[in-house]
Amino acid sequence: MYKQNPELLEKIRQQFKTAPYPRIELETYPPKDNFEALYVHNLVTPYYLRNRKVISTEGKVILDAGCGTGYKSLVLALANPGAHIVGIDLSEEAIDLARKRLDYHDIANAEFHVLPIEEVSSLNQKFDYINCDEVLYLFEDITVGLQAFQSVLKPDGIIRTNLHSELQRNLFFRAQEMFKMMGLMDKNPEEMEIQIVIEMMKSLRDNVSLKARTWKKEFETSEEGILMNYLFQCDKGYTINDMFSALKKSNLSYISMVNWRHWDLEDLFKEPDDLPAFLAMSLAEISVEDRLHLFELLHPIHRLLDFWCGHENPTPPSIPTEEWTTQDWRNAKVHLHPQLKTPLVKEDLTQCIINQKPFEISRYIFLPTVVPLILESMRVACLLPLWEGSQPMMSLVERWQQLHPLDPITLESIAPERAFKEVKELLERLEPFLYILLEQSV
């Protein structure tokens, strides 16, 4: 079995012993309106992106690898009702806090172990979902972590993990190199080393590149900010090509970037419908990897290469909605994403309908959008039954006809074909953002 360099491993262990991560009070409960975090950590999101199927989280087994003090474990438990959470981490102190956190919030269906990721198979468990957040880039060889996950992932399971971007974070890597030269990272950085970094950065002229592009006022009072950026032991950066290479070596298949909508190459151009001739002709032939790599070369704004992956072709690919026949649409089952199915969102929509105000659906989950998505509330009103449960497509069409019985210009009755077409257009607008989930009836 592969073992990481014990000296480097001990540096990581000591740093997180000194500064357990994340530093969030045990009593802190994820805000009930934190739809974004719950949306990302809900298994429904990546499973639907891959398979266009809506799954139940009941009975699923989730690994939180490098769980730290357990805040993400808590979020995973809240986002996935009925799932069993298993957390592992190198730090005994962090694991102790993780246990206390979930006990405090009455999450009983969880267990925690002091265990390095490369030994995860010793748990003798298989997982439906593996969350490894802000950890993998600390490995000397990231394929070691990915291969460990691959070995304990169920055939249709999904992994969510991330890497620091070499291109976006290069200035912090320069800072780390400088502070290594100064001997501040020879051992576990503590209060003295943190203060030296603060004094050094404050003393630089404001126009010095490293200070101008990395330093924030809040770092002056944030030990965690200094340790996780300027004095981060074993921190490394990667490119999209590195990511895909590691997936290939680990027999894993790319599914999607977690914030997939913010990696759209065409969004970088002034006129997406009128691209430079060479790109326009070749874009259809460019692989997903090359599209993402072009994006990061042009616009490296993402600190994390945050992605979902899984085994190769675990299930037959579903037919995308763009290729559905009229009969497919008529037989479709419509779901509301679980993180929108809350009394708060329903009440907000109801008030918009009553007051005839536009409904900004993206205010709850902005991750898959680039600009706000605002809808006419009376049109979205046909979707209200989705807060009670999934609905057949044709039931929504019938409700549409009840809400819009007459053409506002001619005052003639709305034909069923027109109601069907207008509901279909509404769903087609919402489904790419995964606000609405569509399934073909079996």
Side-chain angles (χ1 to χ4, degrees), residues 172-358:
F172 281 114
F173 297 137
R174 279 169 41 189
Q176 291 166 15
E177 185 66 26
M178 178 180 71
F179 292 125
K180 283 177 186 175
M181 289 178 61
M182 296 170 62
L184 302 187
M185 298 173 71
D186 292 346
K187 296 180 180 179
N188 180 44
E190 296 186 350
E191 183 62 30
M192 183 183 74
E193 288 80 8
I194 291 170
Q195 288 305 313
I196 291 173
V197 170
I198 293 172
E199 291 172 10
M200 176 81 171
M201 296 304 294
K202 287 175 66 177
S203 68
L204 291 170
R205 291 180 181 274
D206 290 342
N207 64 349
V208 172
S209 173
L210 190 65
K211 181 176 183 179
R213 297 172 63 187
T214 69
W215 188 250
K216 300 177 182 178
K217 182 70 175 176
E218 53 262 37
F219 285 154
E220 295 181 17
T221 55
S222 172
E223 289 188 5
E224 184 175 313
I226 299 297
L227 290 171
M228 296 296 104
N229 290 289
Y230 297 94
L231 298 176
F232 201 178
Q233 298 281 17
C234 305
D235 191 12
K236 290 186 295 297
Y238 297 86
T239 65
I240 287 291
N241 292 154
D242 296 329
M243 181 185 95
F244 273 84
S245 176
L247 288 175
K248 185 176 181 181
K249 290 176 184 176
S250 305
N251 294 316
L252 290 167
S253 178
Y254 169 82
I255 296 172
S256 171
M257 303 307 282
V258 170
N259 54 341
W260 71 92
R261 184 63 183 85
H262 296 261
W263 282 86
D264 193 328
L265 185 62
E266 294 173 49
D267 284 344
L268 302 183
F269 293 87
K270 295 177 182 177
E271 300 292 341
D273 295 329
D274 187 22
L275 296 174
F278 175 79
L279 186 61
M281 289 188 294
S282 60
L283 200 56
E285 308 300 323
I286 293 177
S287 67
V288 172
E289 177 181 350
D290 285 345
R291 288 176 75 109
L292 294 172
H293 186 47
L294 275 173
F295 186 101
E296 72 173 348
L297 290 172
L298 287 166
H299 196 45
I301 57 170
H302 302 298
R303 177 179 69 87
L304 288 174
L305 310 181
D306 200 0
F307 61 97
W308 284 300
C309 61
H311 292 295
E312 293 278 352
N313 301 319
T315 56
S318 60
I319 301 172
T321 54
E322 307 89 76
E323 298 176 18
W324 280 12
T325 65
T326 298
Q327 195 57 44
D328 288 333
W329 276 98
R330 290 185 179 277
N331 294 335
K333 194 173 186 179
V334 184
H335 305 256
L336 186 68
H337 192 284
Q339 298 320 142
L340 288 175
K341 197 186 294 183
T342 70
L344 172 63
V345 180
K346 184 180 181 181
E347 177 59 23
D348 286 352
L349 173 56
T350 302
Q351 289 303 313
C352 286
I353 295 169
I354 291 171
N355 296 308
Q356 298 185 26
K357 291 184 177 179

Side-chain angles (χ1 to χ4, degrees), residues 41-99:
H41 290 90
N42 189 317
L43 273 63
V44 169
T45 306
Y47 271 81
Y48 183 83
L49 269 172
R50 183 184 64 187
N51 300 335
R52 288 302 188 268
K53 298 292 182 185
V54 180
I55 66 163
S56 168
T57 60
E58 183 72 35
K60 300 297 184 186
V61 185
I62 299 173
L63 174 68
D64 192 11
C67 64
T69 61
Y71 187 75
K72 288 289 176 67
S73 303
L74 177 59
V75 174
L76 285 162
L78 297 175
N80 299 283
H84 180 69
I85 309 298
V86 180
I88 63 172
D89 199 274
L90 283 174
S91 167
E92 292 183 17
E93 291 78 7
I95 287 293
D96 182 56
L97 288 169
R99 289 193 183 107

